[in-house]
Amino acid sequence: MPSSNSVRSRARERNSVLSRPEFISLNQPLRGGGAGCPSESRGSARRPGQIKHQTSQPSEEPTDSGSKDRREPIKMPEEDCMLLNPSFKGIAKNSLLAIDICLSKRMGVCAYTSSSWGGCRSMVALLALTGHGITWIIGTIVCLTRSNTLAGQEVLVNLLLALILDVMTVAGVQRLVKRRGPWEMMPGFMDCIAMDIYSFPAAHASRAAMVSKFLLSHLVLAVPLRILLVLWALLVGMSRVLLGKHHLTDMVCGFALGMLHFSLMESVWLSSSTCQTLISISTLSWSPFF
């Protein structure tokens, strides 16, 4: 008769969970990997559906990458971008622009009535009005109508053409550059008429430099008047900076542009006969036969 121990062991084997058919593979030894590589055996025992799913994933990746390439990349604004390796020229340019903006804002002490020098704003605005293009064009036309000498009319006609050239050139450059002033403010009525809307270059500085150089070259003035004329040109250019209309670099470039306009007018100076012809045409008294 079998012993009680053998009967008990058989009963244990029958009741064991690992003896069931679905768990028989767990009792078998690992093939090729031994007991130290359970992850490999489990990986090799994956179902065919999982293998097919893995093989199908690489084919789907190109479609995803193609759809991403089709999407347009989001571009950040230039002022929000940072160059990791900027050149020395770029660093110097940005540094000078930052210094220019900082100094121009500090010098705009008459930008508003609530500024530190707001009480002098009306006086500074009156000084800036003496260098306005409309003021000089109207004044030149009035003097031209009252002039009786050929030499005076010749000088005034060339000055009028120089003023028109200055207004048109500055307006064109401002439209191209479209630089705003250091303080956000709307242009005045006179500025809109003279097309002096943007900051670069400074129209008043250009006009003051051109007019002062023109008068110093074609009028006989005493030394104190010559000094006052140069001082007037500098103050007119500086007044626009104090009013917060222009940067310092705008004023400097305006002075340089005014000198360029003077040199250009000197090279194309109109003679007295040509000026008389233009005056006759403007007054509708010109006759081509006489």
Side-chain angles (χ1 to χ4, degrees), residues 14-71:
R14 292 174 183 174
N15 296 330
S16 178
V17 178
L18 298 177
S19 62
R20 295 179 182 179
E22 57 267 23
F23 297 111
I24 292 176
S25 61
L26 298 177
N27 295 329
Q28 296 179 358
L30 299 176
R31 296 179 181 179
C37 302
S39 61
E40 294 180 1
S41 63
R42 294 177 183 176
S44 61
R46 292 178 182 175
R47 289 178 293 180
Q50 295 179 353
I51 298 174
K52 291 181 180 180
H53 180 67
Q54 291 180 355
T55 54
S56 63
Q57 285 181 354
S59 62
E60 294 176 359
E61 290 179 0
T63 59
D64 294 338
S65 62
S67 62
K68 291 180 181 178
D69 293 336
R70 293 174 184 175
R71 298 175 185 175

CSV table of all heavy atoms in Angstrom, one decimal, residues 14-71:
chain,number,residue,atom,x,y,z
A,14,ARG,N,-1.7,17.8,-7.6
A,14,ARG,CA,-3.0,18.1,-8.2
A,14,ARG,C,-3.5,19.5,-7.9
A,14,ARG,O,-4.1,20.1,-8.8
A,14,ARG,CB,-4.0,17.0,-7.8
A,14,ARG,CG,-3.7,15.6,-8.2
A,14,ARG,CD,-4.6,14.6,-7.6
A,14,ARG,NE,-4.2,13.2,-8.0
A,14,ARG,CZ,-4.8,12.1,-7.5
A,14,ARG,NH1,-5.8,12.3,-6.6
A,14,ARG,NH2,-4.4,10.9,-7.9
A,15,ASN,N,-3.4,19.9,-6.6
A,15,ASN,CA,-3.9,21.2,-6.2
A,15,ASN,C,-3.0,22.3,-6.6
A,15,ASN,O,-3.4,23.5,-6.4
A,15,ASN,CB,-4.1,21.2,-4.7
A,15,ASN,CG,-5.2,20.2,-4.3
A,15,ASN,OD1,-6.1,19.9,-5.1
A,15,ASN,ND2,-5.1,19.6,-3.1
A,16,SER,N,-1.8,22.1,-7.1
A,16,SER,CA,-0.8,23.2,-7.4
A,16,SER,C,-1.3,23.9,-8.7
A,16,SER,O,-1.8,23.3,-9.6
A,16,SER,CB,0.6,22.6,-7.7
A,16,SER,OG,1.4,23.7,-8.1
A,17,VAL,N,-1.1,25.3,-8.6
A,17,VAL,CA,-1.6,26.1,-9.7
A,17,VAL,C,-0.7,26.0,-10.9
A,17,VAL,O,-1.1,26.0,-12.1
A,17,VAL,CB,-1.6,27.6,-9.3
A,17,VAL,CG1,-2.0,28.5,-10.4
A,17,VAL,CG2,-2.6,27.8,-8.1
A,18,LEU,N,0.6,25.7,-10.7
A,18,LEU,CA,1.6,25.6,-11.8
A,18,LEU,C,1.4,24.4,-12.6
A,18,LEU,O,2.0,24.2,-13.7
A,18,LEU,CB,3.0,25.7,-11.2
A,18,LEU,CG,3.4,27.0,-10.5
A,18,LEU,CD1,4.8,26.9,-9.9
A,18,LEU,CD2,3.3,28.1,-11.4
A,19,SER,N,0.7,23.4,-12.1
A,19,SER,CA,0.5,22.2,-12.8
A,19,SER,C,-0.6,22.3,-13.9
A,19,SER,O,-0.8,21.3,-14.6
A,19,SER,CB,0.1,21.0,-11.8
A,19,SER,OG,-1.1,21.3,-11.2
A,20,ARG,N,-1.3,23.4,-13.9
A,20,ARG,CA,-2.3,23.6,-14.9
A,20,ARG,C,-1.7,23.8,-16.3
A,20,ARG,O,-0.6,24.2,-16.4
A,20,ARG,CB,-3.2,24.8,-14.6
A,20,ARG,CG,-4.0,24.7,-13.3
A,20,ARG,CD,-4.8,25.9,-13.0
A,20,ARG,NE,-5.5,25.8,-11.7
A,20,ARG,CZ,-6.2,26.7,-11.2
A,20,ARG,NH1,-6.4,27.9,-11.9
A,20,ARG,NH2,-6.8,26.5,-10.0
A,21,PRO,N,-2.5,23.5,-17.4
A,21,PRO,CA,-1.9,23.5,-18.7
A,21,PRO,C,-1.4,24.9,-19.1
A,21,PRO,O,-0.4,25.1,-19.8
A,21,PRO,CB,-3.0,23.0,-19.6
A,21,PRO,CG,-3.9,22.2,-18.7
A,21,PRO,CD,-3.8,22.9,-17.4
A,22,GLU,N,-2.1,26.0,-18.7
A,22,GLU,CA,-1.7,27.3,-19.2
A,22,GLU,C,-0.5,27.8,-18.5
A,22,GLU,O,0.1,28.8,-18.9
A,22,GLU,CB,-2.9,28.3,-18.9
A,22,GLU,CG,-3.3,28.4,-17.5
A,22,GLU,CD,-4.5,27.4,-17.2
A,22,GLU,OE1,-4.6,26.5,-18.0
A,22,GLU,OE2,-5.3,27.7,-16.3
A,23,PHE,N,0.0,27.1,-17.4
A,23,PHE,CA,1.2,27.6,-16.7
A,23,PHE,C,2.3,26.6,-16.8
A,23,PHE,O,3.3,26.6,-16.1
A,23,PHE,CB,0.9,27.8,-15.2
A,23,PHE,CG,-0.1,28.8,-14.9
A,23,PHE,CD1,-1.4,28.5,-14.4
A,23,PHE,CD2,0.2,30.2,-15.1
A,23,PHE,CE1,-2.3,29.5,-14.2
A,23,PHE,CE2,-0.8,31.1,-14.9
A,23,PHE,CZ,-2.0,30.8,-14.4
A,24,ILE,N,2.2,25.7,-17.8
A,24,ILE,CA,3.2,24.7,-17.9
A,24,ILE,C,4.5,25.3,-18.4
A,24,ILE,O,5.6,24.9,-18.1
A,24,ILE,CB,2.7,23.5,-18.9
A,24,ILE,CG1,1.6,22.7,-18.2
A,24,ILE,CG2,3.9,22.6,-19.3
A,24,ILE,CD1,1.0,21.7,-19.1
A,25,SER,N,4.4,26.4,-19.3
A,25,SER,CA,5.6,27.0,-19.9
A,25,SER,C,6.5,27.6,-18.8
A,25,SER,O,7.7,27.8,-19.0
A,25,SER,CB,5.2,28.0,-20.9
A,25,SER,OG,4.4,29.0,-20.3
A,26,LEU,N,5.9,28.0,-17.7
A,26,LEU,CA,6.7,28.6,-16.6
A,26,LEU,C,7.6,27.6,-15.9
A,26,LEU,O,8.6,28.0,-15.3
A,26,LEU,CB,5.7,29.3,-15.6
A,26,LEU,CG,4.9,30.4,-16.1
A,26,LEU,CD1,4.0,30.9,-15.0
A,26,LEU,CD2,5.7,31.5,-16.7
A,27,ASN,N,7.2,26.3,-16.0
A,27,ASN,CA,8.0,25.3,-15.3
A,27,ASN,C,9.2,24.8,-16.2
A,27,ASN,O,10.1,24.1,-15.7
A,27,ASN,CB,7.2,24.1,-14.9
A,27,ASN,CG,6.1,24.5,-13.9
A,27,ASN,OD1,6.4,25.4,-13.1
A,27,ASN,ND2,5.0,23.8,-13.9
A,28,GLN,N,9.1,25.2,-17.5
A,28,GLN,CA,10.1,24.7,-18.5
A,28,GLN,C,11.4,25.6,-18.3
A,28,GLN,O,11.3,26.8,-18.1
A,28,GLN,CB,9.6,24.7,-19.9
A,28,GLN,CG,8.5,23.7,-20.1
A,28,GLN,CD,7.9,23.7,-21.5
A,28,GLN,OE1,8.4,24.5,-22.3
A,28,GLN,NE2,7.0,22.9,-21.8
A,29,PRO,N,12.6,25.0,-18.5
A,29,PRO,CA,13.8,25.9,-18.5
A,29,PRO,C,13.9,26.8,-19.7
A,29,PRO,O,13.4,26.5,-20.7
A,29,PRO,CB,14.9,24.8,-18.5
A,29,PRO,CG,14.3,23.6,-19.1
A,29,PRO,CD,12.9,23.6,-18.7
A,30,LEU,N,14.6,27.9,-19.5
A,30,LEU,CA,14.8,28.9,-20.5
A,30,LEU,C,15.7,28.4,-21.6
A,30,LEU,O,16.7,27.7,-21.3
A,30,LEU,CB,15.4,30.2,-19.9
A,30,LEU,CG,14.6,30.9,-18.9
A,30,LEU,CD1,15.3,32.1,-18.3
A,30,LEU,CD2,13.2,31.3,-19.5
A,31,ARG,N,15.5,28.7,-22.8
A,31,ARG,CA,16.3,28.3,-24.0
A,31,ARG,C,17.3,29.3,-24.4
A,31,ARG,O,16.9,30.4,-24.7
A,31,ARG,CB,15.4,28.0,-25.2
A,31,ARG,CG,14.4,26.8,-24.9
A,31,ARG,CD,13.5,26.6,-26.1
A,31,ARG,NE,12.6,25.5,-25.9
A,31,ARG,CZ,11.7,25.1,-26.7
A,31,ARG,NH1,11.6,25.7,-27.9
A,31,ARG,NH2,10.9,24.1,-26.4
A,32,GLY,N,18.5,29.0,-24.3
A,32,GLY,CA,19.6,29.9,-24.8
A,32,GLY,C,20.0,31.0,-23.9
A,32,GLY,O,21.1,31.4,-23.9
A,33,GLY,N,19.2,31.4,-23.0
A,33,GLY,CA,19.5,32.5,-22.2
A,33,GLY,C,19.8,32.2,-20.8
A,33,GLY,O,20.5,32.9,-20.1
A,34,GLY,N,19.3,31.0,-20.3
A,34,GLY,CA,19.5,30.7,-19.0
A,34,GLY,C,18.6,31.5,-18.0
A,34,GLY,O,17.7,32.2,-18.4
A,35,ALA,N,18.8,31.3,-16.8
A,35,ALA,CA,18.0,31.9,-15.8
A,35,ALA,C,18.3,33.4,-15.6
A,35,ALA,O,17.6,34.1,-15.0
A,35,ALA,CB,18.1,31.2,-14.4
A,36,GLY,N,19.5,33.8,-16.1
A,36,GLY,CA,19.9,35.2,-16.0
A,36,GLY,C,19.3,36.2,-17.0
A,36,GLY,O,19.6,37.3,-16.9
A,37,CYS,N,18.5,35.7,-17.9
A,37,CYS,CA,18.0,36.6,-19.0
A,37,CYS,C,16.5,36.4,-19.1
A,37,CYS,O,15.9,36.0,-20.1
A,37,CYS,CB,18.6,36.3,-20.3
A,37,CYS,SG,20.4,36.5,-20.3
A,38,PRO,N,15.7,36.8,-18.0
A,38,PRO,CA,14.3,36.6,-18.1
A,38,PRO,C,13.7,37.6,-19.0
A,38,PRO,O,12.6,37.4,-19.6
A,38,PRO,CB,13.8,36.9,-16.7
A,38,PRO,CG,14.9,37.7,-16.1
A,38,PRO,CD,16.2,37.3,-16.7
A,39,SER,N,14.3,38.8,-19.2
A,39,SER,CA,13.7,39.8,-20.1
A,39,SER,C,13.7,39.4,-21.5
A,39,SER,O,12.8,39.7,-22.3
A,39,SER,CB,14.4,41.1,-19.9
A,39,SER,OG,15.8,41.0,-20.2
A,40,GLU,N,14.8,38.6,-21.9
A,40,GLU,CA,14.9,38.2,-23.3
A,40,GLU,C,13.8,37.1,-23.6
A,40,GLU,O,13.3,37.1,-24.7
A,40,GLU,CB,16.3,37.7,-23.6
A,40,GLU,CG,17.4,38.8,-23.5
A,40,GLU,CD,18.7,38.2,-23.8
A,40,GLU,OE1,18.8,36.9,-24.1
A,40,GLU,OE2,19.7,38.9,-23.8
A,41,SER,N,13.6,36.3,-22.6
A,41,SER,CA,12.7,35.2,-22.9
A,41,SER,C,11.3,35.8,-22.9
A,41,SER,O,10.4,35.3,-23.7
A,41,SER,CB,12.8,34.2,-21.7
A,41,SER,OG,12.4,34.8,-20.5
A,42,ARG,N,11.0,36.7,-22.1
A,42,ARG,CA,9.7,37.3,-22.1
A,42,ARG,C,9.5,38.1,-23.4
A,42,ARG,O,8.4,38.1,-24.0
A,42,ARG,CB,9.5,38.2,-20.9
A,42,ARG,CG,9.4,37.5,-19.6
A,42,ARG,CD,9.3,38.5,-18.4
A,42,ARG,NE,9.3,37.7,-17.2
A,42,ARG,CZ,9.3,38.3,-16.0
A,42,ARG,NH1,9.2,39.7,-15.9
A,42,ARG,NH2,9.3,37.6,-14.9
A,43,GLY,N,10.5,38.7,-23.9
A,43,GLY,CA,10.5,39.5,-25.1
A,43,GLY,C,10.2,38.6,-26.3
A,43,GLY,O,9.5,38.9,-27.3
A,44,SER,N,10.8,37.3,-26.2
A,44,SER,CA,10.7,36.4,-27.4
A,44,SER,C,9.3,35.7,-27.3
A,44,SER,O,8.9,35.2,-28.3
A,44,SER,CB,11.8,35.3,-27.3
A,44,SER,OG,11.7,34.6,-26.1
A,45,ALA,N,8.6,35.8,-26.2
A,45,ALA,CA,7.3,35.1,-26.1
A,45,ALA,C,6.2,36.1,-26.4
A,45,ALA,O,5.1,35.8,-26.0
A,45,ALA,CB,7.2,34.5,-24.6
A,46,ARG,N,6.5,37.2,-27.0
A,46,ARG,CA,5.4,38.1,-27.3
A,46,ARG,C,4.5,37.6,-28.4
A,46,ARG,O,5.0,36.8,-29.2
A,46,ARG,CB,6.0,39.5,-27.8
A,46,ARG,CG,6.7,40.2,-26.7
A,46,ARG,CD,7.3,41.5,-27.2
A,46,ARG,NE,8.0,42.2,-26.1
A,46,ARG,CZ,8.7,43.3,-26.3
A,46,ARG,NH1,8.8,43.8,-27.5
A,46,ARG,NH2,9.3,43.9,-25.3
A,47,ARG,N,3.3,38.1,-28.4
A,47,ARG,CA,2.4,37.6,-29.4
A,47,ARG,C,2.7,38.1,-30.8
A,47,ARG,O,3.2,39.2,-30.9
A,47,ARG,CB,1.0,37.9,-28.9
A,47,ARG,CG,0.5,37.1,-27.7
A,47,ARG,CD,-0.9,37.6,-27.3
A,47,ARG,NE,-0.8,38.9,-26.8
A,47,ARG,CZ,-1.9,39.6,-26.3
A,47,ARG,NH1,-3.1,38.9,-26.3
A,47,ARG,NH2,-1.8,40.8,-25.8
A,48,PRO,N,2.2,37.5,-31.8
A,48,PRO,CA,2.5,38.0,-33.2
A,48,PRO,C,1.8,39.3,-33.4
A,48,PRO,O,2.3,40.1,-34.2
A,48,PRO,CB,1.9,36.9,-34.1
A,48,PRO,CG,1.9,35.7,-33.2
A,48,PRO,CD,1.7,36.1,-31.8
A,49,GLY,N,0.7,39.6,-32.8
A,49,GLY,CA,0.1,40.9,-33.0
A,49,GLY,C,0.9,42.0,-32.6
A,49,GLY,O,1.0,43.1,-33.2
A,50,GLN,N,1.6,41.8,-31.4
A,50,GLN,CA,2.5,42.9,-30.9
A,50,GLN,C,3.7,43.1,-31.9
A,50,GLN,O,4.1,44.2,-32.1
A,50,GLN,CB,3.0,42.5,-29.5
A,50,GLN,CG,1.9,42.5,-28.5
A,50,GLN,CD,2.5,42.1,-27.1
A,50,GLN,OE1,3.7,41.8,-27.0
A,50,GLN,NE2,1.6,42.2,-26.1
A,51,ILE,N,4.2,42.0,-32.4
A,51,ILE,CA,5.4,42.1,-33.4
A,51,ILE,C,4.9,42.9,-34.6
A,51,ILE,O,5.6,43.7,-35.2
A,51,ILE,CB,5.9,40.7,-33.7
A,51,ILE,CG1,6.4,40.1,-32.5
A,51,ILE,CG2,7.0,40.8,-34.8
A,51,ILE,CD1,6.9,38.6,-32.7
A,52,LYS,N,3.7,42.6,-35.1
A,52,LYS,CA,3.2,43.3,-36.3
A,52,LYS,C,3.0,44.7,-36.0
A,52,LYS,O,3.3,45.6,-36.8
A,52,LYS,CB,1.9,42.6,-36.8
A,52,LYS,CG,2.1,41.2,-37.3
A,52,LYS,CD,0.8,40.7,-37.8
A,52,LYS,CE,0.9,39.3,-38.4
A,52,LYS,NZ,-0.4,38.8,-38.8
A,53,HIS,N,2.6,45.0,-34.8
A,53,HIS,CA,2.3,46.4,-34.4
A,53,HIS,C,3.7,47.2,-34.3
A,53,HIS,O,3.8,48.3,-34.8
A,53,HIS,CB,1.6,46.5,-33.0
A,53,HIS,CG,1.4,47.9,-32.6
A,53,HIS,ND1,0.5,48.7,-33.2
A,53,HIS,CD2,1.9,48.6,-31.6
A,53,HIS,CE1,0.5,49.9,-32.6
A,53,HIS,NE2,1.3,49.8,-31.6
A,54,GLN,N,4.7,46.5,-33.8
A,54,GLN,CA,6.0,47.2,-33.8
A,54,GLN,C,6.6,47.4,-35.2
A,54,GLN,O,7.2,48.4,-35.4
A,54,GLN,CB,7.0,46.3,-32.9
A,54,GLN,CG,6.6,46.3,-31.5
A,54,GLN,CD,7.6,45.5,-30.7
A,54,GLN,OE1,8.5,44.8,-31.3
A,54,GLN,NE2,7.5,45.5,-29.3
A,55,THR,N,6.4,46.4,-36.0
A,55,THR,CA,6.9,46.6,-37.4
A,55,THR,C,6.2,47.6,-38.2
A,55,THR,O,6.7,48.2,-39.1
A,55,THR,CB,6.8,45.2,-38.1
A,55,THR,OG1,5.5,44.8,-38.1
A,55,THR,CG2,7.8,44.2,-37.5
A,56,SER,N,4.9,47.9,-37.8
A,56,SER,CA,4.1,48.9,-38.5
A,56,SER,C,4.4,50.3,-38.0
A,56,SER,O,4.1,51.2,-38.7
A,56,SER,CB,2.7,48.6,-38.4
A,56,SER,OG,2.3,48.7,-37.0
A,57,GLN,N,5.0,50.4,-36.8
A,57,GLN,CA,5.3,51.8,-36.3
A,57,GLN,C,6.3,52.5,-37.1
A,57,GLN,O,6.2,53.7,-37.4
A,57,GLN,CB,5.7,51.7,-34.8
A,57,GLN,CG,4.6,51.4,-33.9
A,57,GLN,CD,5.1,51.3,-32.4
A,57,GLN,OE1,6.3,51.4,-32.2
A,57,GLN,NE2,4.1,51.2,-31.5
A,58,PRO,N,7.5,51.9,-37.5
A,58,PRO,CA,8.4,52.7,-38.3
A,58,PRO,C,7.8,53.2,-39.6
A,58,PRO,O,8.2,54.3,-40.1
A,58,PRO,CB,9.5,51.7,-38.6
A,58,PRO,CG,9.4,50.7,-37.5
A,58,PRO,CD,8.0,50.6,-37.2
A,59,SER,N,6.9,52.5,-40.2
A,59,SER,CA,6.3,53.0,-41.5
A,59,SER,C,5.4,54.2,-41.2
A,59,SER,O,5.2,55.0,-42.1
A,59,SER,CB,5.5,51.9,-42.1
A,59,SER,OG,4.4,51.5,-41.3
A,60,GLU,N,4.9,54.3,-40.0
A,60,GLU,CA,4.0,55.5,-39.7
A,60,GLU,C,4.8,56.7,-39.3
A,60,GLU,O,4.3,57.8,-39.4
A,60,GLU,CB,3.1,55.1,-38.5
A,60,GLU,CG,2.1,54.0,-38.9
A,60,GLU,CD,1.2,53.7,-37.7
A,60,GLU,OE1,1.4,54.3,-36.6
A,60,GLU,OE2,0.3,52.8,-37.8
A,61,GLU,N,6.1,56.5,-38.9
A,61,GLU,CA,6.9,57.7,-38.5
A,61,GLU,C,7.2,58.7,-39.6
A,61,GLU,O,7.1,59.9,-39.4
A,61,GLU,CB,8.2,57.2,-37.9
A,61,GLU,CG,8.0,56.6,-36.5
A,61,GLU,CD,9.3,56.1,-35.9
A,61,GLU,OE1,10.4,56.3,-36.6
A,61,GLU,OE2,9.3,55.5,-34.8
A,62,PRO,N,7.5,58.2,-40.8
A,62,PRO,CA,7.7,59.2,-41.9
A,62,PRO,C,6.5,60.0,-42.2
A,62,PRO,O,6.6,61.2,-42.5
A,62,PRO,CB,8.1,58.3,-43.1
A,62,PRO,CG,8.6,57.0,-42.5
A,62,PRO,CD,7.8,56.8,-41.3
A,63,THR,N,5.3,59.4,-42.1
A,63,THR,CA,4.1,60.2,-42.3
A,63,THR,C,4.0,61.3,-41.3
A,63,THR,O,3.6,62.5,-41.6
A,63,THR,CB,2.9,59.3,-42.4
A,63,THR,OG1,2.8,58.7,-41.1
A,63,THR,CG2,3.0,58.3,-43.5
A,64,ASP,N,4.3,61.0,-40.0
A,64,ASP,CA,4.2,62.0,-39.0
A,64,ASP,C,5.2,63.1,-39.2
A,64,ASP,O,5.0,64.3,-39.1
A,64,ASP,CB,4.4,61.4,-37.6
A,64,ASP,CG,3.2,60.4,-37.3
A,64,ASP,OD1,2.1,60.6,-37.9
A,64,ASP,OD2,3.5,59.5,-36.4
A,65,SER,N,6.5,62.7,-39.6
A,65,SER,CA,7.5,63.7,-39.8
A,65,SER,C,7.2,64.5,-41.0
A,65,SER,O,7.5,65.7,-41.1
A,65,SER,CB,8.9,63.0,-40.0
A,65,SER,OG,8.8,62.1,-41.1
A,66,GLY,N,6.6,63.9,-42.0
A,66,GLY,CA,6.2,64.7,-43.2
A,66,GLY,C,5.1,65.7,-42.9
A,66,GLY,O,5.2,66.8,-43.4
A,67,SER,N,4.2,65.3,-42.0
A,67,SER,CA,3.2,66.3,-41.7
A,67,SER,C,3.7,67.4,-40.8
A,67,SER,O,3.3,68.5,-40.9
A,67,SER,CB,2.0,65.6,-40.9
A,67,SER,OG,2.6,65.0,-39.7
A,68,LYS,N,4.7,67.1,-40.0
A,68,LYS,CA,5.4,68.2,-39.2
A,68,LYS,C,6.2,69.1,-40.1
A,68,LYS,O,6.2,70.3,-39.8
A,68,LYS,CB,6.3,67.5,-38.2
A,68,LYS,CG,5.6,66.8,-37.1
A,68,LYS,CD,6.5,66.2,-36.1
A,68,LYS,CE,5.8,65.5,-35.0
A,68,LYS,NZ,6.7,64.8,-34.0
A,69,ASP,N,6.8,68.5,-41.1
A,69,ASP,CA,7.6,69.4,-42.1
A,69,ASP,C,6.7,70.3,-42.8
A,69,ASP,O,7.1,71.4,-43.2
A,69,ASP,CB,8.4,68.5,-43.0
A,69,ASP,CG,9.5,67.8,-42.3
A,69,ASP,OD1,9.9,68.2,-41.2
A,69,ASP,OD2,10.0,66.8,-42.8
A,70,ARG,N,5.4,69.8,-43.1
A,70,ARG,CA,4.5,70.6,-43.9
A,70,ARG,C,4.0,71.8,-43.1
A,70,ARG,O,3.6,72.9,-43.6
A,70,ARG,CB,3.3,69.8,-44.3
A,70,ARG,CG,3.7,68.7,-45.3
A,70,ARG,CD,2.5,67.9,-45.6
A,70,ARG,NE,2.9,66.8,-46.6
A,70,ARG,CZ,2.0,65.8,-46.9
A,70,ARG,NH1,0.8,65.8,-46.4
A,70,ARG,NH2,2.5,64.8,-47.7
A,71,ARG,N,4.0,71.7,-41.7
A,71,ARG,CA,3.6,72.8,-40.9
A,71,ARG,C,4.6,73.9,-40.9
A,71,ARG,O,5.8,73.7,-40.9
A,71,ARG,CB,3.4,72.3,-39.5
A,71,ARG,CG,2.3,71.3,-39.3
A,71,ARG,CD,2.3,70.8,-37.9
A,71,ARG,NE,1.3,69.7,-37.7
A,71,ARG,CZ,1.2,69.0,-36.6
A,71,ARG,NH1,1.9,69.3,-35.5
A,71,ARG,NH2,0.3,68.0,-36.5
